[in-house]
Amino acid sequence: MFIPRPRRVPRLGDGLWPRRLLALAVAALVAAAVAAGLFRVPALSGVSWVVWLAFGTRLLARRWRPRRDGQLHWRKRVSGLDIVEPGLVAHRSLAGWVDLAAEAVVLIVIGACLITTLPQHGWWVEVARPVLAVGVAGWLGRTAYEQARFTGRLVMTVSAIRHGRQVLDWANIDRVSPHQRDGRLNGVRLRPAVWRSLQPAPVVGGRDTAVPEDRLIAAIEDYRFRPQDLAREPASRTRPSPESDAAGAS
């Protein structure tokens, strides 16, 4: 199901270098800002409650499920892993952005609290403090890089379906069905025609994607036998959902 992606040096003419450089600049800016803030954290005590508050806020945010009614948008240039090509793009949902921000806040809070618990003196403190600050800043910089580097949360192009960094082969999709998690609809399950590993069937979309499951299923079913049609703009950008079809028939 997964397309193997061997590690290699990107080609100079693949059209992705401007996007890579922009993503690197965004990542460097975020990392520098976070590191500068953590280096200025004062030495305090009794701040463990802040960590628990951050974790509690993150857990509550993940249970928040706002309405998702986004559309799939056709773009002439979609920045993927190693190619630029046209395709349909599904953006990150509001809940997905909240989750991303909450995870960043939790990481910053944990880093800051660890730094505040360090003693005032000691040769190892002078090493631990910058290591913690740079580690947290580097992790958040990497996250910022990926958000700036790729187009959309989920894209469907001629070559593959991409969800985040997960790349799925059109030719190995046997069945498309809704996926449930914790008793709620959360994503689209793509059952492989040939199982190449013991991993469960991949799931795309879900709470962090603005396009609801019925529209994703309709689009995947439309294009999985003719993905080459994604190279040109569709006459109708979105296919009507089953609910709208039933309403029209009545």
Side-chain angles (χ1 to χ4, degrees), residues 39 115 118-135:
F39 275 122
I115 290 175
L118 295 175
Q120 291 292 319
H121 304 288
W123 65 268
W124 64 272
V125 176
E126 302 301 326
V127 176
R129 184 182 293 270
V131 166
L132 286 172
V134 172

Side-chain angles (χ1 to χ4, degrees), residues 136-165:
V136 172
W139 187 272
L140 292 178
R142 178 179 180 273
T143 302
Y145 173 87
E146 291 193 356
Q147 294 306 312
R149 167 66 176 79
F150 301 111
T151 302
R153 178 60 178 162
L154 183 148
V155 298
M156 292 182 284
T157 64
V158 175
S159 59
I161 301 175
R162 179 185 60 78
H163 184 214
R165 279 189 170 272

